[in-house]
Amino acid sequence: MNSLKPKDVKKTVKQAYARIAAESEVCSCCSCGCGDQNTSQEISKSVGYSDEELTVVPEANLGLGCGNPVALGNIKEGDVVLDLGSGAGFDSFLAAKKVGTSGRVIGVDMTEEMVNKAKAIAAKYGYTNVEFRLGDIENLPVENESIDVVISNCVINLAPDKSKVFNEAYRVLRNGGRMYVSDIVLLKELSDEQRSDKALLSGCVAGALLKEDYVQKMESAGFEVKILSEDKEISERQYQGIALESLKLTATKKS
């Protein structure tokens, strides 16, 4: 695993995403490159967002995802949805439209600048069924068994302790609750040099797990896991041919 200490990993990630939140030119860290809003739109289309979805709060779309967990998830009106690593809130706002006024969405992010940006966007567009909380996805500021659906988009790979993340997701979900995840996983082990590269860390690579290890950790937390799809082409599109893929899966808390 990453040779950096967990506190150094989190510091590196926080600094990178605070910079993204503050910059007027969007930097797409999870695609290992930088671009403007048009680039973010193209990246998002390539990983599964529709043209219609991309018109919803476009300034919240920073082009940081590797899939579309809201589209994967069976989110219904009245559901309580938790977005792990919510960033500027793009997926949270998409989920908010599905849950309606009788449901709500909670976004959790450890970067204060991202949380503040998401809150400002929510206020600008009048989203009253969404709230954003500053917190660590390894130690969620969320009550036990209070969530119907957990979503996460290209974020868990950034956490030093994935087992803690999955255990926390299991804790906050109600029995029968579902978790829908798009994330970067490795198809071949990285070199020590790659594991220690801070740019690859904030770019969603250096902290990623091998696919089998990722699934095993989810199952060890108690989830019943089903792989929905695997995007291997993302390696050439956005990651300079590194042996990885975007894994889309659902995990159900057994009742």
Side-chain angles (χ1 to χ4, degrees), residues 26-31 39-41 43-44 60-65 238:
V26 175
C27 178
S28 299
C29 263
C30 275
S31 61
T39 303
S40 298
Q41 296 282 83
I43 289 171
S44 297
N61 176 22
L62 304 186
L64 301 174
Q238 298 178 29

Side-chain angles (χ1 to χ4, degrees), residues 40-115:
S40 298
Q41 296 282 83
E42 289 304 312
I43 289 171
S44 297
K45 285 180 72 172
S46 75
V47 299
Y49 290 96
S50 68
D51 289 334
E52 182 181 357
E53 287 172 322
L54 293 175
T55 64
V56 177
V57 198
E59 60 261 59
N61 176 22
L62 304 186
L64 301 174
C66 59
N68 183 351
V70 177
L72 297 175
N74 181 25
I75 298 172
K76 307 184 300 297
E77 190 167 341
D79 277 346
V80 180
V81 176
L82 172 65
D83 184 3
L84 302 183
S86 48
F90 187 53
D91 287 325
S92 294
F93 295 128
L94 291 178
K97 289 191 169 293
K98 291 198 169 190
V99 303
T101 56
S102 60
R104 66 189 179 108
V105 180
I106 302 167
V108 174
D109 201 281
M110 71 173 181
T111 306
E112 187 172 1
E113 290 83 354
M114 282 292 188
V115 172

